[in-house]
Amino acid sequence: MEEKNIPEQGALPVTPPVPAPEPEASEVPITEALPGDTVPSPELPEETRELPNEEPPELPDTPAEGSPAAEAPAEAEEGKEADSGIDLSILDDPELEEVLFAEEPETPAPDQDFQESSTREFDEMMDAPQQEQKSPVNERPPRKGRPKRKKGEGLLGIPNMLATVVWLALILAIGVTAGRMLWICAADVLAFGREDKPVTITIYESDTMDDIIEKLYNGGLIRYRSLFKLYADISDAEEDIDPGIYDLNTRYDYHALVNMMSTSSSRTVVEDVLIPESYTCRQIFAMLEEKRICTAQDLAAYAASGELKDYWFLDGVERGQEYCLEGFLFPDTYDFYKNSTPREVLEKLLDNFDRRFDEEMQAQIETLNANVTGGSYGIREVTIVASMIEKEAAAPAEAPAIAGVIYNRLFRWDSPAYLNIDASIVYALDGKSDLTREDLQVDSPYNTYTHTGLTPTPISNPGLSSLRAALNPENHNYYYYVLNPETGMHTFSTTYEEHSANVAAYAEGQ
């Protein structure tokens, strides 16, 4: 009998491998992977991948390669039955029975249908594209954010070369535009290429910087309002510009314009400015503006509400009206600075009245009250009478006689004291001299044909001769006077009949 190889005690019996059912594709076991690892796709046996789509052949009951049965000598293999492949005589040993069959699991026989379905599923898996299986537990969420530009692309998806050209063109356009704007601004600030054209600008006390800029623009002295405003803000030009009347030129640059609109740079003395006697405040203000001393608007505004010295003769004068200083702006010859302030001008005129109406003349008011008025007149009333004398007298020589007629009508006439002075109506009508019958009925407190007594204010600024005549009227019995056109002097009469005859005679002579 041949010697047989008996397995050592405790070794498992050599059992031919039975093919297990192939798992479905969805049941492929998933191996837990570490974060970042890639789970490999299940590798199928090379023989299975090469099988055609047909029924698989039956597997022979042969031991697996590497098992103890496969390593038995070739002589033992030849004595076994062809369908067994293992010597079962060793099972007769009772000591090995318990060891061999105690824990051996019962292996089910392979099912032909299951094998066929498994083979088809593997074929389908091989035909389908292999996709990487990832663990749902360790799957990373998609990263959010701006998608990366493709390599070689610039801004807005434009290729880098084209984007460079666009940027260069844009920079060039901006540079050219900025350079042109800079040149235009510089040309206006520095007055490049301007024509030689004189322009007169009048700046008032009430003008704001915007008003001044508008006047400069309308005069053609600047081209861009906003640019000059920026320059004025940077250089504090508003503090340097003074009210006044300025002769400028379109060739002046911004710096020269600001300097020329300052009194410190144009403090020229205007000599021998004559303010005539009998001029009203309106006429004086207009003449001073014409002489470039000060604007009429600023003079009128300051006369109404500006701060002045404390003058004794202004007691009782109600301020607030633009011509409230009427009668006290003394007519004379003056030297003024060009573009003086309204206060400088007005106080120079008022100072002169204060000097001329000296203490001697102030004492004569008391004599007038004692002999003529009955004690009711002051400096204001005397000035009103003097303003009427100034307008009515043809010459200083007849001023005392005219004053006597006025006082006779006011204090010695039995009838109502209507002065009937045409000059007061002319004043009420703002200088209209060619009076009509309708003008004589104008509704005004200055109409001495319809209102008795003195006018509310003086109607002119009297000179020294008229003031003295008002203080020292001629004592006579005349109540009327009419101008003789042949002599240029007045003819006086006591009664209305005499007066009417004189008027008729002079009318026929004309």
Side-chain angles (χ1 to χ4, degrees), residues 123-434:
D123 291 340
E124 293 175 359
M125 288 178 59
M126 294 304 299
D127 293 336
Q130 297 293 324
Q131 297 182 357
E132 185 177 5
Q133 301 292 329
K134 293 186 179 180
S135 174
V137 177
N138 297 314
E139 184 178 359
R140 293 183 180 180
R143 179 179 296 177
K144 297 181 179 179
R146 185 177 60 184
K148 294 183 179 180
R149 294 196 302 267
K150 293 183 179 180
K151 190 173 183 180
E153 293 184 355
L155 183 64
L156 302 177
I158 303 175
N160 286 333
M161 182 61 68
L162 181 58
T164 302
V165 174
V166 171
W167 275 110
L168 290 176
L170 182 61
I171 293 172
L172 180 61
I174 293 174
V176 172
T177 303
R180 186 172 184 274
M181 291 182 62
L182 183 61
W183 170 253
I184 291 174
C185 293
D188 196 45
V189 173
L190 302 177
F192 290 156
R194 296 283 189 87
E195 62 177 342
D196 188 355
K197 178 183 177 182
V199 178
T200 300
I201 295 294
T202 302
I203 299 176
Y204 301 105
E205 288 275 358
S206 59
D207 283 346
T208 63
M209 194 63 204
D210 290 338
D211 297 330
I212 296 172
I213 292 174
E214 192 66 25
K215 292 179 180 180
L216 294 175
Y217 176 80
N218 293 333
L221 296 167
I222 61 174
R223 294 177 181 173
Y224 307 104
R225 300 181 184 90
S226 57
L227 183 61
F228 189 87
K229 184 173 180 60
L230 177 62
Y231 175 85
D233 292 339
I234 295 174
S235 62
D236 294 328
E238 190 170 5
E239 298 180 0
D240 299 329
I241 298 176
D242 298 315
I245 305 170
Y246 301 99
D247 294 325
L248 306 175
N249 196 294
T250 54
R251 298 184 64 182
Y252 291 170
D253 58 24
Y254 282 9
H255 181 70
L257 288 174
V258 174
N259 283 344
M260 292 302 295
M261 290 186 290
S262 173
T263 55
S264 60
S265 62
S266 61
R267 202 67 170 167
T268 306
V269 177
V270 182
E271 300 178 351
D272 300 334
V273 179
L274 175 62
I275 297 179
E277 297 172 346
S278 80
Y279 262 31
T280 64
C281 285
R282 181 192 301 275
Q283 292 172 310
I284 293 174
F285 295 164
M287 186 196 68
L288 291 176
E289 179 172 333
E290 183 181 354
K291 297 288 185 180
R292 309 295 178 85
I293 308 302
C294 191
T295 65
Q297 177 178 317
D298 289 344
L299 288 169
Y302 202 90
S305 58
E307 183 179 355
L308 296 170
K309 295 178 183 178
D310 188 14
Y311 296 101
W312 65 272
F313 50 85
L314 293 182
D315 290 344
V317 174
E318 295 183 4
R319 303 286 297 280
Q321 201 269 343
E322 57 184 355
Y323 304 130
C324 62
L325 299 180
E326 195 80 78
F328 302 101
L329 304 181
F330 195 80
D332 206 343
T333 301
Y334 296 90
D335 293 340
F336 290 104
Y337 281 113
K338 193 174 182 179
N339 290 323
S340 298
T341 64
R343 180 171 184 172
E344 291 173 344
V345 174
L346 294 176
E347 288 189 344
K348 179 171 281 194
L349 299 175
L350 295 172
D351 287 343
N352 198 15
F353 184 94
D354 190 20
R355 285 194 303 270
R356 296 304 185 95
F357 207 99
D358 53 19
E359 293 180 358
E360 181 183 354
M361 295 179 67
Q362 295 177 36
Q364 291 174 357
I365 296 177
E366 298 179 4
T367 304
L368 177 67
N369 285 328
N371 299 328
V372 179
T373 67
S376 59
Y377 273 20
I379 182 63
R380 177 173 172 272
E381 288 76 17
V382 169
T383 305
I384 292 174
V385 173
S387 69
M388 294 179 179
I389 296 171
E390 192 68 62
K391 283 292 189 180
E392 292 292 301
E398 66 178 19
I402 297 290
V405 172
I406 293 174
Y407 284 122
N408 285 342
R409 288 201 171 199
L410 288 173
F411 297 101
R412 297 175 63 180
W413 210 3
D414 295 334
S415 61
Y418 290 105
L419 296 180
N420 295 341
I421 293 178
D422 292 348
S424 64
I425 298 178
V426 173
Y427 185 83
L429 298 176
D430 295 332
K432 181 182 179 182
S433 58
D434 187 14

Side-chain angles (χ1 to χ4, degrees), residues 356 358 360-361 364 386 463-473:
R356 296 304 185 95
D358 53 19
E360 181 183 354
M361 295 179 67
Q364 291 174 357
L464 192 58
S465 61
S466 296
L467 287 170
R468 287 174 175 171
L471 292 171
N472 300 282

Side-chain angles (χ1 to χ4, degrees), residues 86-137:
I86 191 170
D87 191 0
L88 300 179
S89 62
I90 61 175
L91 298 178
D92 296 333
D93 190 350
E95 295 178 358
L96 297 178
E97 185 177 356
E98 182 177 357
V99 176
L100 294 175
F101 300 101
E103 297 180 358
E104 179 67 22
E106 186 174 331
T107 303
D111 185 68
Q112 184 69 24
D113 296 336
F114 175 78
Q115 291 181 359
E116 293 178 359
S117 62
S118 298
T119 304
R120 285 195 299 270
E121 289 176 1
F122 273 105
D123 291 340
E124 293 175 359
M125 288 178 59
M126 294 304 299
D127 293 336
Q130 297 293 324
Q131 297 182 357
E132 185 177 5
Q133 301 292 329
K134 293 186 179 180
S135 174
V137 177

Side-chain angles (χ1 to χ4, degrees), residues 43-71:
E43 295 291 340
L44 297 178
E46 185 176 355
E47 295 79 5
T48 306
R49 289 199 301 265
E50 295 177 357
L51 291 177
N53 293 332
E54 61 184 11
E55 293 183 3
E58 293 188 11
L59 299 177
D61 295 334
T62 57
E65 185 178 357
S67 63
E71 296 176 357

